[in-house]
């Protein structure tokens, strides 16, 4: 009796079962499960953003002074203020970042409240969360480098007269990352308190 004739079908069936258990393979260019998506970035002369799928993130600062704290909505998502607070994994520290074709920028939406981070109060003022409305003050261009993001508010693309520095108002942690207030401030390259890690 030839044993190989019996073994071959068993091996084929086992291989098929293993392939089914493994699930669908990850498409080329897509992040594996549990890995961050590719950084959002601006592309082209017109500044049109690459439209990555919406995704939930926790945002932490690149500033050593802000270590252990996350971007957070005050009062577990009920309050208006966006701030830095000790990372605890709560839903008020969970953000959905997606491109909004109407506003022409990315919106930073709280998964606790469904509201969006809004910089309408301007330079030196704490940002708040408000109902998402497609406005420029809720739209952010998101240059990326080395796995970090900078959020530049589209309502304030320039620096007010008398204030030197690069163009634009960035999402910034007060006092170089030492404070809890998250505000708009003049964009400056190499400032850790304006660079955000995503995970």
């Amino acid at each position: 009796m030839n044993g190989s004739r019996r073994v071959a079908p068993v091996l084929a069936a086992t291989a098929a079962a293993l392939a089914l258990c493994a699930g669908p393979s990850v498409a080329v260019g897509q992040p594996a499960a549990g890995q961050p998506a590719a950084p959002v970035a601006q592309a082209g002369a017109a500044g049109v953003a690459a439209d990555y799928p919406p995704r939930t993130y926790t945002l932490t600062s690149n500033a050593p002074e802000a270590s252990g704290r996350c971007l957070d909505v005050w009062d577990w998502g009920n309050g208006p203020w966006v701030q830095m607070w000790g990372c605890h994994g709560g839903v008020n520290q969970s953000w959905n970042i997606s491109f909004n074709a109407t506003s022409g920028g990315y919106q930073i939406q709280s998964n606790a409240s469904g509201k969006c981070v809004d910089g309408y109060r301007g330079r030196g003022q704490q940002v708040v969360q408000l109902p998402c409305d497609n406005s420029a003050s809720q739209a952010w261009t998101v240059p990326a480098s080395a796995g970090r993001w900078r959020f530049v508010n589209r309502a304030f693309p320039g620096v007010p007269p008398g204030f030197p520095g690069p163009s634009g108002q960035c999402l910034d942690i007060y006092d170089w990352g030492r404070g809890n207030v998250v505000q708009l401030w003049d964009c400056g390259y190499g400032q850790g308190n304006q660079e955000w890690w995503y995970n």
Side-chain angles (χ1 to χ4, degrees):
M1 184 178 271
N2 189 342
S4 64
R5 288 186 180 174
R6 292 185 179 178
V7 173
V10 172
L11 290 176
T14 303
L18 288 173
L20 286 173
C21 289
S25 61
V26 176
V28 175
Q30 295 297 314
Q35 297 299 314
V40 289
Q42 303 308 306
V48 176
D51 191 6
Y52 290 98
R55 178 169 161 174
T56 296
Y57 296 94
T58 300
L59 297 171
T60 55
S61 175
N62 192 38
E65 295 81 0
S67 178
R69 291 181 289 150
C70 290
L71 191 68
D72 174 287
V73 183
W74 184 71
D75 191 22
W76 295 96
N78 296 311
W81 306 112
V82 177
Q83 62 184 1
M84 296 302 290
W85 200 257
C87 298
H88 52 65
V91 70
N92 63 316
Q93 296 182 346
S94 173
W95 302 92
N96 186 29
I97 300 174
S98 59
F99 186 70
N100 183 324
T102 303
S103 67
Y106 282 86
Q107 62 185 22
I108 310 168
Q109 185 177 26
S110 170
N111 283 314
S113 65
K115 296 178 181 179
C116 287
V117 176
D118 196 310
Y120 83 94
R121 302 175 75 228
R123 182 183 187 272
Q125 300 298 313
Q126 187 167 8
V127 296
V128 295
Q129 62 161 1
L130 290 173
C132 300
D133 62 7
N134 304 320
S135 64
S137 60
Q138 293 181 1
W140 308 83
T141 56
V142 191
S145 89
R148 298 186 297 272
W149 291 340
R150 290 158 41 88
F151 294 95
V152 185
N153 195 271
R154 288 180 60 85
F156 300 97
V159 175
F163 292 101
S167 178
Q169 296 290 300
C170 282
L171 195 65
D172 173 288
I173 305 170
Y174 178 73
D175 194 19
W176 299 96
R178 288 182 279 272
N180 285 336
V181 170
V182 176
Q183 62 182 0
L184 287 187
W185 197 256
D186 304 342
C187 297
Y189 291 97
Q191 294 182 202
N193 62 319
Q194 293 181 356
E195 296 176 338
W196 299 87
W197 293 101
Y198 55 92
N199 53 46

